[in-house]
């Protein structure tokens, strides 16, 4: 497999790297502390074409591939996870279902405003009783006089309640099929009566990203808001999660790299016992181990992205990448805090935020245990 980047991929990576260092780094601590959604940064990312990287140019997208998208996510997370998840959830979870299964009309209606970052899209799968058991959907949609009447609740939904949230695509039970639930996808625009995004959660990390519970109370949307064939909603969303896991795995690599960057720079600067702490073997061993693991994990993420771009099966590799990188991010950020000593426990240092931001990577878009299930099933166990 060829891991050399094309000129376009390198250009995008460098553009995002510069943007993250110049525009995000100076405000990341404040956004985290005040839990403020990064509207200005999203607008700027829209201007740079980052909110629609993998979608066709005819809809205002960047026409780039999955690897380019993963590189962009990695570079954002190296500086700030909240901004990265806002972009990643918008692209791979919110907008992707509309691109993959939308009718021409749905694509024309939604994609231009989503690709430009004028509006954000959310993905409504998880429910109070349907987390890892994602098929245990209780939200229902009944077709009556040309309208879906939706009743139910979703939770932990990223990008659902900002001032620029445009829509959420949800799974809902629309009937019975051979004694099983028939689950379909439906687009629910923000502002539809009966659809409410609740108060944002108080989270451990990802503080500047928007995550809320949703409720649907006799919420009516046109029959034409069905996304893809009736009854294929669960499979569609599992396929979306496969792709989403590449983005989250890129976040794991980016966060681990960001932690390593900070640890190296601190180790060179901080003096103890008359020399920089980076001269001590105990610190060198931590830095060397983490850097080797990042390099291996990065190649796995790129492999998953390249397989997807080639149109080959990538479910197994995406789940492996997600499993490895989430754990790596937790370990790398912990080691980075350790290298910073007491200063690592103080919020002025980015590693403190990185440590809090890491844990969700072993939970969101499928827990480690779900990745293990997916991997084992793919291996025929
Ligand atoms: N793509 C397409 N179809 C798939 C698929 C895939 N990757 N995996 C399975 N399917 C199909 C199966 O073939 C099966 O079809 P048939 O009935 O025709 O055979 C159907 O879907 C059901 O599959 P399973 O029997 O395997 O389903 P399951 O109920 O055993 O569940 C699971 C499988 C892997 C555990 C799944 O429920 C899962 O991935 N759970 C985790 C959910 C998750 O990741 N949630 C995260 C939400 S998003 C998020 O977290 C956002 C955020 O933080 C920002």
């Amino acid at each position: 497999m060829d891991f050399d980047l094309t000129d376009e991929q390198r250009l995008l990576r460098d553009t995002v790297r510069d943007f993250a260092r110049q525009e995000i780094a100076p405000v990341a601590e404040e956004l985290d502390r005040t839990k403020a959604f990064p509207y200005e940064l999203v607008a700027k990312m829209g201007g740079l074409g980052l909110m629609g990287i993998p979608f066709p140019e005819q809809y205002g997208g960047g026409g780039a591939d999955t690897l380019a998208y993963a590189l962009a996510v990695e570079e954002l997370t190296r500086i700030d996870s909240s901004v990265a998840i806002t972009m990643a959830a918008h692209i791979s979870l919110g907008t992707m279902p509309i691109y993959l299964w939308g009718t021409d009309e749905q694509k024309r209606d939604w994609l231009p405003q989503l690709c430009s970052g004028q509006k954000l899209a959310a993905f409504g799968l998880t429910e109070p009783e349907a987390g890892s058991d994602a098929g245990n959907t209780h939200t229902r949609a009944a077709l009556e006089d040309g309208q879906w009447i939706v009743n139910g609740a979703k939770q932990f939904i990223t990008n659902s309640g900002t001032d620029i949230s445009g829509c959420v695509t949800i799974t809902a039970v629309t009937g019975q099929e051979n004694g099983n639930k028939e689950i379909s996808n439906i687009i629910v625009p923000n502002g539809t009566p009966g659809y409410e995004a609740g108060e944002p959660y108080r989270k451990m990390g990802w503080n500047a990203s928007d995550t809320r519970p949703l409720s649907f109370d006799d919420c009516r949307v046109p029959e034409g808001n069905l996304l893809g064939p009736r009854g294929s909603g669960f499979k569609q969303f599992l396929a979306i999660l496969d792709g989403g896991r590449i983005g989250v795995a890129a976040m794991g690599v980016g966060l681990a790299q960001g932690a390593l960057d900070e640890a190296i720079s601190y180790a060179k600067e901080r003096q103890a016992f008359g020399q920089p702490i980076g001269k001590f073997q105990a610190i060198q061993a931590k830095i060397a181990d983490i850097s080797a693991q990042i390099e291996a994990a990065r190649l796995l993420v790129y492999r998953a992205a390249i397989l997807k771009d080639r149109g080959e099966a990538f479910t197994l590799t995406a789940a492996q990448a997600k499993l490895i990188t989430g754990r790596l991010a937790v370990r790398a950020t912990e080691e980075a805090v350790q290298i910073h000593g007491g200063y690592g426990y103080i919020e002025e240092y980015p590693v403190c935020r990185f440590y809090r931001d890491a844990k969700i990577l072993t939970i969101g878009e499928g827990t480690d245990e779900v990745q293990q299930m997916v991997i084992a099933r793919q291996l025929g166990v």
Side-chain angles (χ1 to χ4, degrees):
M1 185 168 268
D2 181 4
F3 289 103
D4 284 342
L5 301 183
T6 62
D7 288 346
E8 291 79 23
Q9 288 163 343
R10 208 171 297 118
L11 178 66
L12 180 71
R13 182 198 60 191
D14 294 349
T15 304
V16 180
R17 185 175 291 172
D18 291 346
F19 173 76
R21 284 181 183 162
Q22 287 160 20
E23 305 273 348
I24 304 178
V27 295
E29 186 274 331
E30 188 188 346
L31 288 171
D32 176 73
R33 179 167 38 82
T34 58
K35 303 183 195 303
F37 186 78
Y39 287 106
E40 277 182 33
L41 292 172
V42 170
K44 285 180 182 170
M45 291 197 295
L48 283 172
L50 303 185
M51 300 306 282
I53 291 173
F55 304 112
E57 288 166 14
Q58 73 177 109
Y59 298 115
D65 55 16
T66 312
L67 180 54
Y69 163 68
L71 291 165
V73 173
E74 183 184 333
E75 290 300 331
L76 291 178
T77 320
R78 201 166 164 182
I79 300 295
D80 185 61
S81 294
S82 290
V83 174
I85 188 58
T86 299
M87 183 265 239
H90 167 72
I91 288 180
S92 32
L93 300 182
T95 309
M96 194 60 84
I98 299 176
Y99 169 59
L100 289 179
W101 297 294
T103 59
D104 286 347
E105 195 184 340
Q106 287 169 335
K107 288 188 208 178
R108 270 198 312 272
D109 281 353
W110 287 107
L111 291 183
Q113 47 179 334
L114 296 176
C115 288
S116 68
Q118 250 177 303
K119 292 282 178 195
L120 291 174
F123 174 81
L125 171 69
T126 304
E127 298 190 3
E129 288 171 85
S132 290
D133 186 5
N136 192 31
T137 308
H138 286 221
T139 297
R140 314 191 76 81
L143 194 54
E144 237 180 71
D145 301 329
Q147 289 188 315
W148 293 105
I149 306 175
V150 185
N151 280 289
K154 299 284 172 183
Q155 69 177 12
F156 306 148
I157 309 303
T158 306
N159 289 338
S160 55
T162 71
D163 297 347
I164 54 170
S165 295
C167 66
V168 59
T169 57
I170 60 163
T171 46
V173 179
T174 47
Q176 290 278 324
E177 213 180 19
N178 310 323
N180 294 322
K181 281 176 182 172
E182 177 198 77
I183 298 179
S184 306
N185 289 343
I186 295 173
I187 304 173
V188 182
N190 283 60
T192 307
Y195 165 35
E196 298 249 332
E199 285 300 302
Y201 294 100
R202 292 171 54 225
K203 296 170 291 191
M204 176 192 289
W206 285 7
N207 278 335
S209 74
D210 180 77
T211 322
R212 297 172 192 250
L214 311 182
S215 63
F216 302 90
D217 186 10
D218 281 338
C219 166
R220 291 166 185 265
V221 295
E223 185 176 358
N225 283 25
L226 181 74
L227 187 57
R230 185 170 172 164
S232 53
F234 185 50
K235 282 188 204 181
Q236 287 178 357
F237 269 28
L238 288 184
I240 287 294
L241 285 172
D242 283 341
R245 285 168 188 159
I246 298 175
V248 177
M251 288 189 71
V253 172
L255 184 52
Q257 182 66 57
L260 181 67
D261 296 341
E262 294 295 327
I264 290 174
S265 109
Y266 188 78
K268 288 205 274 195
E269 182 188 291
R270 171 75 175 167
Q271 301 273 329
F273 305 100
Q275 61 178 347
I277 60 169
K279 295 289 174 206
F280 293 106
Q281 283 187 341
I283 304 293
Q284 290 177 353
K286 289 182 195 299
I287 286 174
D289 279 359
I290 295 295
S291 90
Q293 288 165 17
I294 290 173
E295 215 44 53
R298 178 176 283 126
L299 291 183
L300 190 58
V301 176
Y302 292 3
R303 180 174 155 75
I306 292 168
L307 287 173
K308 181 168 188 285
D309 287 332
R310 283 184 185 169
E312 294 179 34
F314 66 94
T315 300
L316 171 64
T317 316
Q320 289 170 330
K322 163 81 169 67
L323 180 64
I324 292 289
T325 53
R327 290 172 171 180
L328 173 59
V330 171
R331 170 135 192 271
T333 54
E334 189 191 359
E335 289 290 42
V337 168
Q338 192 69 19
I339 289 170
H340 280 68
Y343 289 108
Y345 206 65
I346 307 279
E347 289 288 0
E348 284 145 60
Y349 284 82
V351 291
C352 190
R353 167 169 51 89
F354 289 179
Y355 184 62
R356 289 186 287 97
D357 283 339
K359 184 57 198 160
I360 188 64
L361 296 176
T362 68
I363 299 170
E365 294 197 40
T367 60
D368 282 3
E369 293 72 17
V370 162
Q371 305 315 317
Q372 288 167 329
M373 275 171 66
V374 171
I375 292 166
R377 286 182 187 184
Q378 288 282 318
L379 296 175
V381 183

